[in-house]
Amino acid sequence: MKVVISEFMDEASVASLSEQFNTVYDPGLVDRRDDLRALLSDARALIVRNRTQVDADILAAAPALEVVGRLGVGLDNIDSESCQVRGIAVIPAVGANALAVAEYVIGTAMVLLRGAYTRSAETAAGQWPRADLSGGREMAGKTLGLIGFGGIGQLTAGLAQALGVSVMAYDPMLAADSPIWGQTKVRPASLDEVLTRADIVSLHVPLTDQTRKLIDRNTLQRMKPGAILINTARGGIVDESALADALRAGSLSGAAVDVFDNEPLPKESPLADLPNTILTPHIAGVTLESNIRVSALIAQRVAEHLQGKIK
């Protein structure tokens, strides 16, 4: 049976699959759709990250496909409904990269609050901007507001609390009396409370019709003056032009953005060259350790699925 892997995967997990199946591993396939379609003509499994669009075109080219493994958790690049209709299993790596994302949120929040670590070139050049950089803020005593309180949000809350941060969260999918609130010591809040009271707002929701442009010009205006926004969820959740305007106006003091409307980020993006802004190329959940965990989980789950079909 044939397994096609179209984006980067830990080599040990690729080797594990190769021992069991006819495995084609080519991380460049994501940018060569014709080659990918050809390889899928007799493939039983496809493993992707977030860039491979598993759409109607790709699915039509894969008549024998039984399972799609996702090296990550977001499924907006996969036509899950069509997969369900055809009986194709879609397997995300739930939980395997959660710690990497949680650490990214806390790390970038601390950098943005302090406001000093992105200006080392000035010190190296002898400018000595000590007065300018003496107004940085500490993490302890701040309030973190989470929009979405699944596994990643819960891990983020725990790391923040260890630093003396108060945490509130908005998640309409969780009841106010859910035991998770007591277990995590996080206060359930409305969206408006999170926006108006949090010093740091971090997004942890999937991209759906309900969350698309959830953070728009109106929501940004409701945020606490001087607050920080962190988006490791999906680009379409934030209105990028509105965010750029808020950062330029100084109503927000900073932002860390790992996901964008269009990826790779276009040079003409409104988010380019903004003050106190950290832009990263969709890597919040990708570390050496998380790549090993994610790859191993998907390799195991895909292999189990295919072996189950054999039996």
Side-chain angles (χ1 to χ4, degrees):
M1 287 193 293
K2 186 175 180 181
V3 177
V4 175
I5 307 166
S6 64
E7 298 182 65
F8 73 91
M9 189 175 187
D10 181 61
E11 295 284 355
S13 293
V14 174
S16 173
L17 288 169
S18 298
E19 290 172 0
Q20 305 170 74
F21 310 103
N22 172 20
T23 301
V24 178
Y25 175 52
D26 183 349
L29 282 172
V30 62
D31 296 312
R32 305 196 319 272
R33 280 180 68 90
D34 288 345
D35 291 345
L36 178 58
R37 280 193 297 264
L39 286 167
L40 288 173
S41 63
D42 59 346
R44 298 290 189 87
L46 172 63
I47 296 176
V48 303
R49 285 191 181 268
N50 66 294
R51 290 187 58 223
T52 304
Q53 299 301 310
V54 186
D55 51 22
D57 176 53
I58 288 295
L59 291 173
L65 195 65
E66 297 176 4
V67 57
V68 176
R70 167 71 168 92
L71 296 164
V73 293
L75 299 179
D76 47 287
N77 62 311
I78 298 173
D79 186 344
S80 298
E81 290 185 8
S82 294
C83 287
Q84 185 176 13
V85 168
R86 279 186 46 183
I88 299 169
V90 177
I91 302 175
V94 176
N97 67 351
L99 181 59
V101 178
E103 288 191 357
Y104 176 101
V105 172
I106 299 303
T108 54
M110 295 179 78
V111 168
L112 291 168
L113 283 170
R114 195 64 184 263
Y117 306 121
T118 59
R119 296 177 62 178
S120 61
E122 296 169 49
T123 300
Q127 297 177 26
W128 206 247
R130 190 169 189 267
D132 288 348
L133 301 183
S134 295
R137 293 175 287 171
E138 298 173 359
M139 191 79 169
K142 300 298 181 292
T143 297
L144 169 65
L146 301 168
I147 298 178
F149 197 53
I152 295 175
Q154 291 164 30
L155 268 177
T156 302
L159 294 179
Q161 288 165 334
L163 293 169
V165 175
S166 299
V167 185
M168 63 172 69
Y170 164 71
D171 194 324
M173 304 303 293
L174 286 175
D177 59 355
S178 170
I180 197 64
W181 302 114
Q183 292 167 9
T184 58
K185 299 180 181 178
V186 169
R187 185 172 73 81
S190 67
L191 178 59
D192 191 66
E193 284 182 285
V194 169
L195 292 171
T196 58
R197 298 185 59 184
D199 302 291
I200 306 151
V201 174
S202 185
L203 307 180
H204 299 280
V205 292
L207 179 61
T208 65
D209 290 340
Q210 290 72 38
T211 62
R212 189 177 299 277
K213 295 295 188 287
L214 176 66
I215 305 301
D216 59 10
R217 206 165 297 277
N218 178 57
T219 17
L220 288 164
Q221 288 173 353
R222 287 154 59 195
M223 286 179 65
K224 184 176 180 179
I228 285 166
L229 178 69
I230 301 174
N231 186 13
T232 58
R234 282 296 181 268
I237 297 167
V238 176
D239 182 328
E240 293 178 359
S241 294
L243 174 59
D245 289 344
L247 288 163
R248 288 196 182 93
S251 55
L252 295 186
S253 68
V257 186
D258 185 58
V259 287
F260 307 91
D261 283 333
N262 296 301
E263 297 180 3
L265 185 68
K267 291 181 180 179
E268 63 275 12
S269 167
L271 296 174
D273 300 321
L274 289 170
N276 208 24
T277 302
I278 297 171
L279 305 180
T280 51
H282 205 142
I283 47 77
V286 184
T287 60
L288 289 173
E289 295 87 352
S290 72
N291 185 39
I292 292 171
R293 293 193 299 267
V294 165
S295 298
L297 175 62
I298 293 303
Q300 178 185 347
R301 295 286 306 280
V302 167
E304 289 173 349
H305 185 90
L306 293 177
Q307 289 162 352
K309 290 288 185 180
I310 293 171
K311 296 174 183 177

